[in-house]
Amino acid sequence: MAPALHDKAAAAVLPEEISIDSCGIEPDLEDADAIGKLRGEREIVLGRNLHDQCFSITEPEHDDEETGDKDVYMAGVLARYRKTLVERTKYHLGYPYNLDFDYGALSQLQHFSINNLGDPFIESNYGVHSRQFEVGVLDWFARLWELEKNEYWGYITNCGTEGNLHGLLVGREVFPDGILYASKDSHYSVFKAGRMYRMEVVKVDTLLSGEIDCADFQRRLLENQDKPAIVNVNIGTTVKGAVDDLDGVIKTLEDCGFSQDRFYIHCDGALFGLMMPFVKRAPKVSFKKPIGSVSVSGHKFVGCPMPCGIQITRIEHINTLSRNVEYLASRDATIMGSRNGHAPLFLWYTLNRKGYRGFKKEVEKCLANAHYLAGCLRESGFGAMLNELSSTVVFERPQDEAFVRKWQLACQGKIAHAVVMPSVTVDKLKVFLKELIESRSRLFPDGKIVAPCVAEELGAKNCACVKHSSCS
């Protein structure tokens, strides 16, 4: 049915009432008047106020079934929206999504309302589910992280944040009076969990790389030896892609007198949790170590068309959290009630097509392309950093905000990053570099380029400013 809709949309003439704003066409960001009109009188914080650009819902006319005007209108809107998606996908580099996928074989299942409500391992009275696929996916990840079938429990979440919310909730249930320790570079959802669960939260300093500072972690632990520790360990931080030293964290806990029955470790592996097992000489994330849970995102490195994730924990922990629900004829142990039953199908399909060998090849490609990008940035006079186990290239924030928006770069203060995913080719990186250099040149028409100092964020050796480039 989708192709037919597309054909109809392509041929439809757009009604006059569809404005440029409502069709998602980007205004010239260098045009201050265009920005002003877009924003109106509202105050804009961080992003743009989309409330003024939304696709409004209108009531069908009484004779619409005969004229078909509404169908033509909607087909036109969708056609223009698809064009916008194609264009924006072409210039996507700042967020960790693998856009290289083809799930045409699953289109036959889109006509069903598939809901995996309740526990994945207990079939409820609702029969339109995909639990058999979900458990197959969970078994695959349990093997990856070295946990036997009878020793784990898990489920497919709606996103990486839900995985963190669940993992830390399990930790809180195991240790109700525990303190949550997380590095300052942890994902915002970790601190959201602390607020939601009314937990005492201790932010730990990080090294320049973005990795947790175990010396500061030790100081913080010694200040609170009377309370159990719930620790978030990052397998790839959000901005710098830094990997916390899991073995170092465990050793620090033990050195501070915390036995394994007094700490719980959740590993946030949103992106790199699936890449790490295929990186040579990378430290292992394994349940053979005293960790409590691991979560990864399914829409990032794997490449699913909808947000989803995988959460795995030890089965003895989930028994503390779960409750029986007669209405479902199942058990309540998940954050959400209803759960997307299509996501397990996409994950199962991809894991079967690629397997361990396929993911290994993609990881190698991503790391090689990330090194290529970092090298080119440095050669072109940009401050740039790439952590050893990462495909996230961090560099000085472009001063041209139109360029930042075009390439959808994620920025924080004076730095930005590009996440090299399987869908990011060398050719795409070459276009990005060419446009970045041209963008910078426009800001310095006299040719005397002044690079900003990012030594505090990236280190002196990775800074291209006059002071630090002359010292390196």
Side-chain angles (χ1 to χ4, degrees):
M1 292 182 68
L5 175 61
H6 173 67
D7 293 342
K8 181 177 180 181
V13 177
L14 289 178
E16 291 181 0
E17 61 263 35
I18 302 183
S19 66
I20 287 178
D21 283 348
S22 68
C23 291
I25 296 176
E26 295 285 332
D28 182 357
L29 293 174
E30 294 180 347
D31 185 342
D33 291 335
I35 296 175
K37 290 175 182 176
L38 180 70
R39 294 180 175 178
E41 298 301 319
R42 296 170 188 255
E43 180 184 0
I44 305 299
V45 180
L46 294 182
R48 294 192 220 161
N49 191 335
L50 213 61
H51 198 86
D52 297 326
Q53 307 177 64
C54 70
F55 297 104
S56 58
I57 308 297
T58 59
E59 287 296 311
E61 296 293 336
H62 68 279
D63 60 345
D64 188 67
E65 288 187 11
E66 298 175 9
T67 65
D69 287 346
K70 195 60 175 283
D71 287 340
V72 172
Y73 166 80
M74 292 189 294
V77 171
L78 293 175
R80 297 288 288 270
Y81 176 58
R82 183 184 185 281
K83 183 179 178 182
T84 299
L85 292 179
V86 170
E87 185 67 16
R88 301 308 286 140
T89 297
K90 192 188 305 181
Y91 298 101
H92 181 276
L93 203 57
Y95 294 87
Y97 305 134
N98 179 8
L99 306 180
D100 184 16
F101 52 75
D102 179 7
Y103 292 107
L106 300 182
S107 61
Q108 60 184 313
L109 304 176
Q110 298 307 301
H111 303 282
F112 300 96
S113 177
I114 309 175
N115 192 330
N116 287 3
L117 72 173
D119 191 307
F121 301 93
I122 302 174
E123 186 172 358
S124 75
N125 288 336
Y126 184 73
V128 187
H129 63 79
S130 62
R131 279 179 172 78
Q132 58 273 58
F133 294 91
E134 181 173 15
V135 174
V137 171
L138 295 173
D139 284 349
W140 191 92
F141 279 95
R143 286 196 303 273
L144 185 69
W145 295 321
E146 301 183 311
L147 196 57
E148 297 297 324
K149 286 185 178 182
N150 62 343
E151 296 178 331
Y152 89 87
W153 184 92
Y155 76 105
I156 292 178
T157 64
N158 290 297
C159 60
T161 289
E162 186 180 347
N164 287 338
L165 292 177
H166 190 275
L168 296 174
L169 176 61
V170 174
R172 203 282 308 269
E173 292 296 290
V174 174
F175 298 118
D177 60 339
I179 295 176
L180 172 58
Y181 296 86
S183 82
K184 292 178 178 178
D185 280 20
S186 298
H187 190 260
Y188 68 86
S189 62
V190 173
F191 305 109
K192 177 193 286 188
R195 295 193 303 273
M196 288 176 65
Y197 304 146
R198 298 291 191 266
M199 300 169 72
E200 182 179 350
V201 179
V202 172
K203 291 187 177 182
V204 182
D205 288 339
T206 56
L207 305 176
L208 195 62
S209 64
E211 176 186 337
I212 191 170
D213 183 347
C214 283
D216 186 57
F217 181 45
Q218 183 179 52
R219 287 191 291 272
R220 305 287 185 167
L221 286 171
L222 291 175
E223 293 171 357
N224 301 283
Q225 284 182 297
D226 58 326
K227 290 187 177 181
I230 301 168
V231 187
N232 179 78
V233 170
N234 296 304
I235 313 302
T237 56
T238 308
V239 177
K240 295 183 176 179
V243 177
D244 290 342
D245 182 356
L246 175 58
D247 294 334
V249 167
I250 294 170
K251 185 177 185 302
T252 302
L253 285 160
E254 292 172 343
D255 290 348
C256 291
F258 286 79
S259 56
Q260 292 186 16
D261 61 350
R262 294 192 63 239
F263 69 79
Y264 178 97
I265 295 175
H266 170 68
C267 296
D268 176 11
L271 171 60
F272 294 107
L274 185 52
M275 298 178 70
M276 284 274 288
F278 307 107
V279 179
K280 291 179 181 177
R281 298 182 299 279
K284 288 187 82 171
V285 176
S286 168
F287 278 91
K288 293 188 181 299
K289 300 176 182 181
I291 63 176
S293 53
V294 183
S295 63
V296 298
S297 295
H299 58 289
K300 292 180 179 173
F301 188 76
V302 177
C304 271
M306 75 279 289
C308 61
I310 297 90
Q311 161 72 355
I312 298 285
T313 188
R314 298 179 187 273
I315 196 165
E316 64 263 26
H317 294 327
I318 207 63
N319 291 333
T320 306
L321 177 67
S322 62
R323 301 288 185 274
N324 291 330
V325 180
E326 183 179 0
Y327 170 74
L328 301 179
S330 185
R331 185 170 59 171
D332 175 30
T334 60
I335 295 288
M336 300 299 175
S338 290
R339 295 186 297 107
N340 186 344
H342 290 275
L345 298 170
F346 286 93
L347 291 169
W348 177 88
Y349 187 81
T350 299
L351 295 178
N352 270 292
R353 288 193 68 185
K354 295 182 179 179
Y356 292 112
R357 284 192 296 272
F359 283 120
K360 185 175 185 295
K361 287 181 180 178
E362 290 193 337
V363 169
E364 291 170 350
K365 171 190 169 185
C366 290
L367 295 179
N369 289 351
H371 279 278
Y372 168 80
L373 174 59
C376 289
L377 285 167
R378 294 187 187 110
E379 289 173 7
S380 302
F382 293 92
M385 181 184 79
L386 174 62
N387 277 311
E388 182 183 4
L389 303 173
S390 178
S391 68
T392 299
V393 181
V394 192
F395 53 98
E396 61 189 62
R397 180 176 184 160
Q399 298 175 51
D400 182 354
E401 287 300 313
F403 177 85
V404 169
R405 283 199 179 275
K406 177 179 180 179
W407 284 93
Q408 303 161 66
L409 299 179
C411 302
Q412 186 176 81
K414 295 164 68 176
I415 58 176
H417 75 203
V419 187
V420 181
M421 301 298 287
S423 55
V424 176
T425 63
V426 170
D427 287 342
K428 186 171 188 174
L429 294 176
K430 286 180 179 178
V431 174
F432 170 75
L433 288 161
K434 178 176 177 291
E435 293 190 5
L436 176 61
I437 293 169
E438 291 173 350
S439 168
R440 181 178 62 176
S441 298
R442 286 194 297 271
L443 296 174
F444 299 97
D446 59 359
K448 297 179 181 179
I449 295 171
V450 180
C453 181
V454 289
E456 185 177 341
E457 292 82 6
L458 305 182
K461 68 177 182 179
N462 297 312
C463 182
C465 76
V466 174
K467 176 183 177 181
H468 295 104
S469 61
S470 60
C471 298
S472 59

